[in-house]
Amino acid sequence: MLIGTASQCREYDRTAVEDLGVPVESLMEAAGRTVFEAVCEVRGDGPVLVACGPGNNGGDGLVAAR
């Protein structure tokens, strides 16, 4: 897994969407699924609260919660 700074991640997203033609929705689904899987490893079957703000990561949080 690659972890970058905020500016690096914005550039990765821009490159994926503009240069490679990856739909934004696909990026959001992948990010949300990855968060979900990581939380499941740590938390197991217990309840989890997902709080989503209005920023770009809000959609990722909604996917994770779904």
Side-chain angles (χ1 to χ4, degrees):
M1 174 176 14
L2 176 65
I3 299 175
T5 65
S7 62
Q8 288 172 324
C9 290
R10 279 192 295 275
E11 182 60 18
Y12 300 148
D13 285 350
R14 187 206 61 74
T15 299
V17 173
E18 294 178 13
D19 298 344
L20 302 176
V22 177
V24 173
E25 294 82 4
S26 294
L27 295 176
M28 191 181 314
E29 286 290 331
R33 181 179 58 250
T34 301
V35 169
F36 170 77
E37 291 169 356
V39 169
C40 285
E41 284 183 25
V42 174
R43 186 64 180 142
D45 292 333
V48 175
L49 172 67
V50 179
C52 300
N56 290 342
N57 293 333
D60 302 345
L62 291 175
V63 170
R66 182 187 72 217

